Amino acid sequence: MQQWRNLKAVNSKKRLVIIGAGGHGKVVADCAESMGIFDQTIFLDGSFPERKLIVDWQIVDVAENFFSYINQGTFFFVAIGNNDARRIWLEKLNKAGAQITTLIHPNAVVSARAVVSKGTLILAGAVVNILAYIGKGCIINTATTVDHDCKIGDFSHLAPGTHFAGTITTGQKVFFGVGCSVIPNLNIGDEVIVGAGSTVIEDLPDRVTAVGSPAKIIKRHAVKTEVT
């Protein structure tokens, strides 16, 4: 069962708790409101109590107190643009037993035969085609296209206007800047960054930055050490 197709039937009263009240948080809340399935939307953010409002949504607590809001009728969403930070928060929520939702704008087109994993955001004008797979905690941003048989790794971000042709596979935590294009049948490694407006025409290994048309590798990144 795909959660995002069945959310309306879960409970009669539903509350959405958004972690992160920055610019991306506004986009997330606006998307959730357009779906029309949540009775209340609130934010948890480190700016509380100095800041208690984002547009017309309430910031009610700091994010570290999220456990106080876990109950049957409450769903959580992490609205943090940074891939690493989003992963950390999603894993923390999952470990605590919070219900993590998926948000898909009603003006996005998602095939009934695509898979969209929990904690992912798909915004207006995006298209996800048949047999595409979108991993956990991804951002498929405004007017982005993910064509047939693509596989987008967990905690990745495809910025507005990114276009993936068919049968592209990415690793985890990739970032494609605004207006990128990727030709079919490529493999993209973990933690790859592709600069805005670039055109990718060949495979990219793990942990590199590539820019240009065609995209060329300009930087290689060290493996990050996890802090425990």
Side-chain angles (χ1 to χ4, degrees), residues 1 50 61 149:
M1 182 179 72
E50 288 78 15
D61 209 337
D149 300 289

Side-chain angles (χ1 to χ4, degrees), residues 115-120 133-138 151-155:
V115 174
V116 180
S117 304
K118 68 180 179 180
T120 282
Y133 173 89
I134 311 296
K136 297 179 292 186
C138 290
K151 183 176 181 181
I152 309 302
D154 295 343
F155 317 114

Side-chain angles (χ1 to χ4, degrees), residues 35-72:
M35 294 170 69
I37 57 177
F38 297 101
D39 301 289
Q40 181 189 31
T41 296
I42 58 175
F43 281 84
L44 307 182
D45 188 81
S47 63
F48 182 86
E50 288 78 15
R51 189 163 64 114
K52 296 184 178 180
L53 203 65
I54 173 172
V55 190
D56 51 7
W57 297 286
Q58 289 187 317
I59 304 170
V60 301
D61 209 337
V62 295
E64 286 71 20
N65 290 338
F66 73 89
F67 52 85
S68 301
Y69 298 85
I70 296 176
N71 59 53
Q72 185 177 4

